[in-house]
Every structure is written in C-alpha cells, then in structure tokens.
Amino acid sequence: MIIEGDAAAVLQTLPGQSVQLIVTSPPYADQRKSTYGGIHPNEYVAWFMERAGEMWPVLRDEGTFVLNIKEGAVNGERHTYVLDLIQAMRSAGWLWTEEFIWHKKNSYPGKWPNRFRDSWERLLQFNKQRKFAMYQEEVMVPVGDWAKRRLNELSETDLTRDESATGNGFGKNVSNWVGRDLVYPTNVLHMATECGNRKHSAAFPESLPSWFIRLFTTVGDVVLDPFCGSGTSVAAAIKLNRIGVGIDIDKDFCHISRQRVDAATLESCKLSLL
Amino acid sequence: MIIEGDAAAVLQTLPGQSVQLIVTSPPYADQRKSTYGGIHPNEYVAWFMERAGEMWPVLRDEGTFVLNIKEGAVNGERHTYVLDLIQAMRSAGWLWTEEFIWHKKNSYPGKWPNRFRDSWERLLQFNKQRKFAMYQEEVMVPVGDWAKRRLNELSETDLTRDESATGNGFGKNVSNWVGRDLVYPTNVLHMATECGNRKHSAAFPESLPSWFIRLFTTVGDVVLDPFCGSGTSVAAAIKLNRIGVGIDIDKDFCHISRQRVDAATLESCKLSLL
DNA sequence: GTTCCGCATGAATCGATAG
DNA sequence: ACTATCGATTCATGCGGAA
C-alpha cells in the first residue's frame, strides 16, 4: 500500500504497534532538491525528529528501525548532522543498537585535491528496547559465494600490498569455514547502487532493504518505508511475502511505487501457484 | 625513535611544527584493561582531548591527524563516545575532513543473539586547516577490467558529455584516459587484520599506516604515533624512508617497538645498497 | 541461448565565476 | 563578505542490442 502525503501527518493515521520493521532512506540534507525541496543541514535534525516521533508509537516494541543516511562534505569538512541525529534519537528514547556499513562498489566518480570518492553509507539500526526480533539464519551466506567474492575483491583492489598479513590471515580464516554450508554475515554489506534506466534518482538496490527485511521480520509482518521514493523497500517486502506500506510526499513517486508494487504482487501470485 | 611515557607529557618535549602526520590507534575505551588500565567510556573524551591538545602545536599546519577508533557495544547499544570525540575535536579547532572505513576482511568468528560480527573500524581524518598535503598518486590502484573494452575505442558518450564544457575538454580527456591502468582509490580500505602473533592486543596491519603515510607524507617527513603499542606505524614509516617517532607508556611495548624499528632500519639500509 | 560490447548515469565535491 | 550557480573531474554497473 502506498500513501501520498507527509510522513509526519500520515504516520498518525496508522494503527499503533502495527509495524515490525521501518526501513528507509530519507532525503539527505540539501540533496534531491528537485523532488523534496531540500532540507538545510542545520534544520535537518529537527525535521527528522518530528517524523521519528510519529514512528515510535507505530513501531512494535520488538521491532526495528533501519535508517540509511550519509553526510556530505561542506567547506572541506564532513557535516555533523548525522552525528547530531544519532544523539537526538537517543535523547528521544531510541536505542542505537548498531551501525552497518553499506560499501557501494560503484560510487560516484570524481577527483578532488583533498578527498577521494565517497564509497560508503551508514545503515543505522535503532530499537525501542534491548530485546528485538532478529532472524539471523535468514541472511546466512553460502560459504562458496563468500569465498569467491572475497577472492574477487582481493584481485580487484590494492590488497596485493597486504601480502604478508593477507596470506596469513586469509588462509587461516578459510580453514575455519571448511565443511560448513552457511556462515553468518558481518556488519559490512557490499552492494552496488542502481544506476540503470529508472526514472527516479537511483535509490538503494532492492537487495539492501531485502536483506534487512529477511533479518528483522518474518512472513506476514508489516514493513514500513515513510520516505519510500520509487517504492524499492515496499516492493522488496511484497516479494518476501511481507505486508509493505510506503509513504511519500511526491505524487509522481507514489505513482511509480504503485506500479512496482503491483508488479511485485503479481509476481508473488504467480510464484504461489508453483 | 621510541619514547617511553605518557603522550600528554612526552608531546610537550617535541619541537613545534615538526610532524607531518600523526597516525595512531589509541587504546579504546574500556578495552585492553590489562595493558593500558582501561579508560572508562564516559571519561574517554576528556582523557583523549588532553592529549590531542598537545598534538596540535607539534603537528605542522598542513599536516594530517589520522585516528583509528571504533566504539564497542555496551548494554546492547553502541557507545557514543566516538561521536562525542568528533564533536570535541571540532570544538577544539580541528577540522573533521573525512571518515575512512577500514573493512576488516577476516574479523574473528563469533555469534551473538542480537548482533553480527563487527567487521569495520573508523579512520577519522582531522586537519588544522583546509589546505593540507596529499599525494594521491602514491596510493593509486589498478583499474577494473571494464576499462580494457571501453578504452579500445573511445565512445561517443564521453565526447558528448565533455562537449557541454568549453569544447577543448575532450582532447584533454583522451590523453588522460588512454593507456591508463591506475585509478584513484575510495574512502573504503579493505585490509585483513594482523593475526595475533604480536603481544599488542589490537595491532592493525602495517599496510594501514603505510597507506596513510604514503598518502599524506613524502620522503623525509616526520610521522608520529603517540600510542604506538608494538610500533607498527613507526616501523612502516621507516620502511618508507620517513622519520618515525613513537610514544608509549608501557615499557615492554617500547622494548618490542625498538626491536621492530631496528629491524626496519636495517632493512632500509640493505635496500639502499641495491 | 549465451556472450560481448556500447552506452547512460549516478545521495559527489571543489573551485571559479557571477550576483 | 557571503551565497548561488556552473563547469570539470571520473569509475563501475546493468541494460539492451548485436554477434
């Protein structure tokens, strides 16, 4: 279900304790001006906390809030509004459980005299209480793929400089996994951004919300994205047989989202027949 | 050179404006109690800032301070002392230029009910002013395989995209790209942790300080590690023909460091004969 | 049906120029 | 002096058409 409107208002219409997972990538400060009007970094925390306050009653006590965000560079310095945001969330009662790293393999190109390309984003996990639902087995990784991916990275990057340490550490580590089928992942996720022919400004890849949906919800749970954009998270939820709810203030985005959601629903129907 | 003592005191004995790069992995809060006495997270910022204040006059104006740190989990939550530390550094006049991510490829296995293995650490870059020394070419990495195809015959896209400029950009572009086999890295570093043959309980791999030493200094510059532990950074500096200075409060660590430094110096001497 | 190749496009950032 | 706009720089990916 896609609802058009400001999350601050729409959230008040949702029933309390109904959502198991909020996973969202809100407009970053001073970004996406064309679609969201661009919130100034200095006003961003107040803007966000107003909406986070409405999310609290909607989220189930054992639910989880995953926030994808990254601060930009201003006057040669990283802006601190994300740090302020974490502190503000804690002051409001949220627990800052974890910070995952999304390593974007295809980051935006460019060259500057004082800085390299920004190739990662934060995935902040907040909870209402220390005990929350987590299904770790759902995101386990086949050991074969794990090893293959690591070896790929080895050849691609400057890891060759790390010969001695890599040789010892990696080899030793591999021997630990021999004989196992599945291993638990870490808090570093490697995924490429979507920069294909979609109309919308490329959000995160569907595999990202999909990962957190499998980790923090089970079939039939409600997944909410209060800034759903083109509906990536909602479509991911539906494909995983969760109930996806998306909110966006932009009419065109809502239209795109509904099309994606319908396509995902249809796909789920077909799969259920097999 | 390895100096035994508390960094707060020893730093006062170093000449001003003498250090081009400070790269260090200080004792983490509430960690390594057996060796450093363990600073409580709530006292950590004050403890650190006292020493950072002594680093300021020692560091050259165009120099850089790279800090390797990661907060642990306390009562199911990530502690916020690193966030507080960044804010405190900025209040003291330091510029928070960048946050690199060190992705530890071979973090130790382990399982917790509410958390995956922590596989990354922060590398905070601070500067005294916006203009600082940076030698980006020294850390370039091999280009991806995609380049071979594309550069065989330069596509029209590159031409048209550069046409939007003044028109002479294209010719420049060709000369820059043809035959290129190296590209600039990103702010995500993939390096394995060093396996624990060292006495130091949290040693980072030598490739890590080595990378920053090549990036932020040139031959003959002074590199300082005020919490040098087993001397990894100092040895790395010497192998790169920089002047390495290490400080540590622990006598045994200083002993180990001196042995490593001597070995590195001897190696440099041998190499210079070739 | 595979594989290969051309191609557009990104949550970017800085410095210079213009108002 | 300070803000707003614009040009320049650059790398990895997935899509669609072609071999």
Side-chain angles (χ1 to χ4, degrees):
Chain A
M1 180 174 57
I2 304 295
I3 308 170
E4 181 185 332
D6 188 331
V10 174
L11 284 166
Q12 296 180 23
T13 69
L14 298 181
Q17 297 277 334
S18 60
V19 172
Q20 183 63 32
L21 171 66
I22 301 173
V23 55
T24 191
S25 183
Y28 294 6
D30 231 356
Q31 303 289 141
R32 297 210 293 196
K33 280 180 182 170
S34 57
T35 55
Y36 281 95
I39 301 101
H40 192 279
N42 298 341
E43 305 160 5
Y44 192 84
V45 174
W47 176 87
F48 186 86
M49 290 311 297
E50 184 189 346
R51 281 137 189 94
E54 304 294 345
M55 295 180 209
W56 180 278
V58 171
L59 185 66
R60 292 171 62 88
D61 288 337
E62 74 278 15
T64 297
F65 179 11
V66 173
L67 179 63
N68 169 222
I69 199 165
K70 178 65 194 287
E71 65 275 15
V74 178
N75 284 334
E77 249 190 312
R78 286 282 161 203
H79 203 279
T80 59
Y81 72 87
V82 175
L83 310 186
D84 298 330
L85 182 60
I86 295 172
Q87 304 279 27
M89 287 288 282
R90 294 188 74 247
S91 297
W94 296 90
L95 300 177
W96 181 35
T97 307
E98 179 60 301
E99 179 170 349
F100 294 83
I101 294 295
W102 171 22
H103 169 39
K104 298 186 290 185
K105 293 192 64 181
N106 60 338
S107 58
Y108 203 96
K111 181 188 184 321
W112 309 277
N114 58 344
R115 184 180 300 283
F116 288 135
R117 291 177 297 143
D118 190 6
S119 189
W120 63 280
E121 297 196 13
R122 305 178 195 276
L123 289 159
L124 304 171
Q125 177 192 347
F126 295 101
N127 289 96
K128 294 175 74 172
Q129 55 187 31
R130 288 187 54 193
K131 297 279 185 181
F132 52 88
M134 194 180 198
Y135 307 92
Q136 298 190 352
E137 305 74 26
E138 300 302 316
V139 293
M140 293 184 83
V141 185
V143 67
D145 290 347
W146 177 86
K148 203 198 304 185
R149 198 179 66 219
R150 287 296 183 275
L151 289 170
N152 239 335
E153 284 177 9
L154 281 173
S155 64
E156 281 178 2
T157 60
D158 63 335
L159 299 171
T160 47
R161 291 196 193 89
D162 204 26
E163 283 160 7
S164 59
T166 304
N168 283 335
F170 187 68
K172 189 174 185 180
N173 203 290
V174 164
S175 65
N176 287 339
W177 303 113
V178 168
R180 293 200 206 176
D181 296 338
L182 296 171
V183 299
Y184 291 103
T186 71
N187 57 358
V188 177
L189 280 61
H190 303 267
M191 296 175 190
T193 58
E194 285 184 5
C195 58
N197 54 0
R198 289 200 193 288
K199 287 290 183 193
H200 64 283
S201 58
F204 44 34
E206 196 169 298
S207 54
L208 199 59
S210 184
W211 195 83
F212 286 105
I213 290 167
R214 280 181 286 134
L215 178 58
F216 289 124
T217 73
T218 189
V219 172
D221 282 342
V222 176
V223 176
L224 169 69
D225 185 343
F227 312 98
C228 71
S230 59
T232 305
S233 304
V234 186
I238 291 170
K239 289 180 186 172
L240 292 167
N241 292 315
R242 274 71 166 175
I243 298 167
V245 179
I247 304 171
D248 204 280
I249 201 169
D250 184 272
K251 188 180 177 181
D252 295 333
F253 274 155
C254 285
H255 183 65
I256 296 172
S257 292
R258 290 198 180 96
Q259 290 182 318
R260 289 185 71 184
V261 164
D262 288 347
T265 304
L266 201 60
E267 191 178 321
S268 288
C269 290
K270 287 178 183 169
L271 287 175
S272 70
L273 295 177
L274 300 181
Chain B
M1 179 174 59
I2 304 295
I3 307 171
E4 182 184 330
D6 188 330
V10 174
L11 283 167
Q12 295 180 24
T13 69
L14 298 181
Q17 298 277 335
S18 60
V19 172
Q20 183 64 33
L21 172 67
I22 300 174
V23 54
T24 190
S25 184
Y28 294 4
D30 218 4
Q31 305 288 128
R32 304 200 291 191
K33 279 183 180 172
S34 59
T35 55
Y36 278 96
I39 302 101
H40 192 279
N42 297 341
E43 305 160 6
Y44 192 85
V45 174
W47 176 87
F48 187 86
M49 290 311 297
E50 183 188 347
R51 281 141 189 92
E54 304 295 344
M55 295 180 209
W56 180 278
V58 172
L59 185 65
R60 293 172 62 87
D61 288 338
E62 74 279 13
T64 297
F65 179 11
V66 173
L67 179 62
N68 169 222
I69 198 166
K70 180 65 192 288
E71 64 275 11
V74 179
N75 284 334
E77 246 190 313
R78 287 284 164 199
H79 203 281
T80 60
Y81 69 86
V82 175
L83 311 186
D84 298 330
L85 181 61
I86 295 172
Q87 304 280 25
M89 286 289 281
R90 294 188 74 245
S91 297
W94 296 89
L95 300 177
W96 181 35
T97 306
E98 180 60 303
E99 178 171 350
F100 293 83
I101 293 296
W102 170 24
H103 173 218
K104 299 186 287 185
K105 302 192 314 286
N106 61 341
S107 58
Y108 280 115
K111 186 183 185 320
W112 297 267
N114 57 347
R115 184 177 300 285
F116 287 135
R117 288 175 295 143
D118 192 6
S119 186
W120 64 280
E121 296 194 12
R122 305 178 196 276
L123 289 158
L124 304 172
Q125 178 191 347
F126 295 101
N127 289 97
K128 294 174 75 171
Q129 56 187 32
R130 287 189 56 188
K131 298 276 185 182
F132 52 88
M134 196 179 197
Y135 308 91
Q136 301 189 351
E137 302 73 25
E138 300 300 317
V139 293
M140 292 182 85
V141 296
V143 71
D145 293 336
W146 59 269
K148 292 176 184 124
R149 286 201 321 247
R150 180 172 173 180
L151 291 180
N152 276 340
E153 202 169 320
L154 210 62
S155 62
E156 290 183 18
T157 313
D158 291 327
L159 197 153
T160 52
R161 271 187 89 172
D162 284 303
E163 262 182 4
S164 64
T166 52
N168 62 350
F170 176 64
K172 222 178 205 176
N173 206 298
V174 173
S175 60
N176 278 345
W177 282 60
V178 169
R180 167 172 295 189
D181 53 352
L182 293 176
V183 299
Y184 295 99
T186 71
N187 58 358
V188 177
L189 280 62
H190 303 266
M191 296 180 188
T193 55
E194 204 157 272
C195 284
N197 49 1
R198 305 257 174 240
K199 288 290 200 296
H200 202 282
S201 45
F204 47 27
E206 196 168 297
S207 55
L208 199 58
S210 183
W211 194 82
F212 286 106
I213 290 167
R214 279 180 289 133
L215 178 58
F216 289 124
T217 73
T218 189
V219 172
D221 282 342
V222 176
V223 177
L224 168 68
D225 185 345
F227 314 99
C228 71
S230 57
T232 304
S233 304
V234 185
I238 290 169
K239 289 180 185 173
L240 292 167
N241 292 315
R242 274 72 167 175
I243 297 167
V245 179
I247 303 172
D248 205 281
I249 201 169
D250 185 273
K251 186 181 178 181
D252 294 333
F253 275 152
C254 286
H255 182 65
I256 296 171
S257 292
R258 290 199 180 94
Q259 290 182 317
R260 288 185 72 183
V261 163
D262 288 347
T265 304
L266 200 61
E267 192 177 320
S268 288
C269 290
K270 287 178 183 170
L271 287 174
S272 71
L273 295 177
L274 299 182

